[in-house]
Amino acid sequence: MTTRAEPGDDQNDPGLSAIMSERRRLINLGYRLLGSLADAEDVVQETYARWYAMSAREQRAVESPGAWLMTVASRICLNLLGSARARRETYVGDWIPEPLPEPTEWITGRSGVGGIDPADRVTLDESVTMAFLVVLDSMTPAERVAFVLHDVFRYPFGEVAEIVGRTPAACRQLATSARRRIRTAQTPAVPSAGQADLVRQFKTAWEVKDIDALISLLDPDATAIADGGGLAVTHQHPLVGGERIARAYAEIARVSGDRTTFLECTVNGLPGLVAQQDGDIATVFAFEIAGDRIRHIWAVRNPEKLRPWRIGCFRWS
């Protein structure tokens, strides 16, 4: 098991503060590997449980507690990823990674109270955009772990190999394969201000049910996917084609009527929308934009995935 030193490690006395200071890194790791904040929290809890199941003598023998925790958490995630495919077979409808609001406005505590804890925030960067997470979800468990550990957390392939249970050369190939998937799916970067303007135009057109305006904002081959998990009403299959999406979304606006309010919010670090119905968060929308058109829409309605949003969202307007 790896013993690589991490910044801030106390190699002589791994006390409570030193161990708990790793929580944020573990949450960040778990979310990127699993695409679920709730699952990431469970992984962190299990990782700490295994640490405290050791005797004090065993703990002191660990050269780098931070590296030990990251290794254990990575292996737990790898096991969960292996079983996730089987669980998805019973999941109702399409599965979308759990969306995250602006970190200054939320905490991961299950009670939903108690203030903002920096140790519970997920750092928002390109590795947690919805488009990026969707590509990660298409990878094999070994590809995903090798890529995230090496390319995101900068672990050398020798240590990745210990975690994945393969040779360093094999892990290098896994990461290369993962990068190839990402390059194939990537769209040219669009400035955040441009994305915000396009999403705002989409929101305005949607509110007034202007089908022609919606079509003009959508890529002709755009897709819209919804995740209700069997707990919320959604379209059962992905919507393909800008015109089809525009007409379907206009119908959604017509049916929901005055009960629905759309808010401009940050979703996984990029401009998105939140739909409130009767004051409650009902749907979170993430977008991928290519050029001056919307290419993908991900609509998360599963209430179990909207827990962090009950605290609030960051307005980018």
Side-chain angles (χ1 to χ4, degrees):
M1 184 173 294
T2 183
T3 57
R4 181 167 63 90
E6 297 287 344
D9 282 341
D10 185 340
Q11 298 185 19
N12 296 319
D13 182 17
L16 178 62
S17 61
I19 295 302
M20 295 309 294
S21 68
E22 299 295 331
R23 178 175 173 82
R24 182 172 183 177
R25 274 172 60 84
L26 298 175
I27 286 284
N28 274 273
L29 174 74
Y31 179 71
R32 284 165 174 79
L33 288 179
L34 302 175
S36 166
L37 187 58
D39 288 347
E41 292 171 341
D42 290 339
V43 166
V44 173
Q45 184 175 352
E46 174 63 21
T47 300
Y48 280 124
R50 294 188 186 186
W51 172 264
Y52 286 109
M54 295 192 300
S55 67
R57 182 176 181 179
E58 290 173 323
Q59 292 174 1
R60 288 193 296 270
V62 176
E63 181 182 349
S64 172
W68 187 96
L69 293 168
M70 287 286 285
T71 296
V72 171
S74 298
R75 288 175 175 167
I76 295 173
C77 288
L78 183 60
N79 290 335
L80 288 176
L81 286 170
S83 61
R85 295 179 184 272
R87 295 200 308 271
R88 300 280 176 81
E89 293 179 0
T90 62
Y91 192 83
V92 179
D94 293 291
W95 188 94
I96 297 175
E98 183 177 324
L100 293 181
E102 173 65 27
T104 58
E105 296 294 331
W106 61 276
I107 57 174
T108 66
R110 296 184 185 278
S111 64
V113 296
I116 298 170
D117 184 351
D120 286 342
R121 294 178 185 166
V122 172
T123 302
L124 298 184
D125 57 31
E126 66 175 6
S127 68
V128 291
T129 64
M130 189 61 71
F132 198 96
L133 290 175
V134 168
V135 177
L136 286 179
D137 194 58
S138 70
M139 299 177 185
T140 67
E143 278 180 330
R144 188 167 184 170
V145 172
F147 173 80
V148 169
L149 284 175
H150 180 267
D151 285 44
V152 178
F153 287 89
R154 304 302 180 188
Y155 270 57
F157 283 119
E159 295 185 15
V160 174
E162 295 182 25
I163 295 171
V164 178
R166 304 196 186 187
T167 66
C171 290
R172 186 175 289 105
Q173 287 300 315
L174 288 170
T176 298
S177 175
R179 291 188 207 106
R180 189 179 302 117
R181 289 176 185 258
I182 291 170
R183 283 196 300 269
T184 300
Q186 271 184 333
T187 59
V190 177
S192 181
Q195 295 190 46
D197 183 60
L198 192 58
V199 172
R200 182 176 292 114
Q201 292 179 54
F202 184 86
K203 168 181 173 286
T204 300
W206 191 6
E207 288 174 328
V208 299
K209 299 175 279 295
D210 187 336
I211 294 177
D212 290 337
L214 289 172
I215 292 174
S216 71
L217 296 169
L218 290 160
D219 186 282
D221 298 319
T223 61
I225 300 175
D227 178 348
L231 302 175
V233 177
T234 64
H235 44 87
Q236 295 184 346
H237 304 287
L239 302 175
V240 180
E243 182 173 350
R244 185 183 179 194
I245 295 170
R247 295 188 183 282
Y249 272 50
E251 178 63 14
I252 291 172
R254 186 192 68 79
V255 172
S256 62
D258 296 334
R259 296 176 52 241
T260 302
T261 302
F262 295 102
L263 303 177
E264 301 167 350
C265 291
T266 297
V267 181
N268 285 65
L270 294 175
L273 295 175
V274 168
Q276 287 186 331
Q277 290 186 341
D278 301 324
D280 295 328
I281 299 293
T283 313
V284 172
F285 298 90
F287 299 85
E288 182 182 38
I289 294 171
D292 59 352
R293 299 287 185 93
I294 295 171
R295 180 179 178 183
H296 293 295
I297 302 175
W298 294 279
V300 180
R301 288 182 50 78
N302 184 339
E304 294 180 352
K305 295 185 177 183
L306 301 180
R307 176 173 51 87
W309 294 85
R310 299 190 184 111
I311 298 172
C313 62
F314 177 78
R315 298 288 296 276
W316 44 261
S317 57

